[in-house]
Amino acid sequence: NNGNFTLAGNTANGHLKLQVLNAIGQVVYEEAIKPAGTLLKHELNLQGRLAAGVYILRADSKGAISNMRFTVR
């Protein structure tokens, strides 16, 4: 992965907080998104912002938290 993502899905309340954490748990990127309604389609472009390594993408929608692990090469 080069750091570019398309996030798609439903949010609990229309607000979404995204965080990218590095391997030691530090937040290296953060963004708040307010999609129209509860449907989400958002481009996340982190290419060139992250060094090669393993990261966690955390999405928090009104306390419903999802974590996804990814690797930047």
Side-chain angles (χ1 to χ4, degrees), residues 26 30 43-44 50 52 63 73:
Q26 296 171 316
E30 192 167 34
E43 300 293 326
L44 187 60
L50 302 176
R73 297 175 191 218

Side-chain angles (χ1 to χ4, degrees), residues 3-54:
N4 292 329
F5 298 91
T6 300
L7 302 175
N10 295 313
T11 63
N13 68 349
H15 291 85
L16 185 68
K17 179 181 175 183
L18 298 176
Q19 292 180 314
V20 176
L21 294 84
N22 64 15
I24 59 172
Q26 296 171 316
V27 176
V28 295
Y29 179 82
E30 192 167 34
E31 181 178 359
I33 300 169
K34 184 169 176 29
T38 59
L39 294 177
L40 168 72
K41 186 167 185 184
H42 181 72
E43 300 293 326
L44 187 60
N45 182 354
L46 301 175
Q47 187 172 6
R49 293 183 181 188
L50 302 176
V54 177

Side-chain angles (χ1 to χ4, degrees), residues 2-3 13 28 36-37 40 51 58 66 69:
N2 64 4
N13 68 349
V28 295
L40 168 72
R58 177 176 289 159
S66 297
R69 186 176 141 182

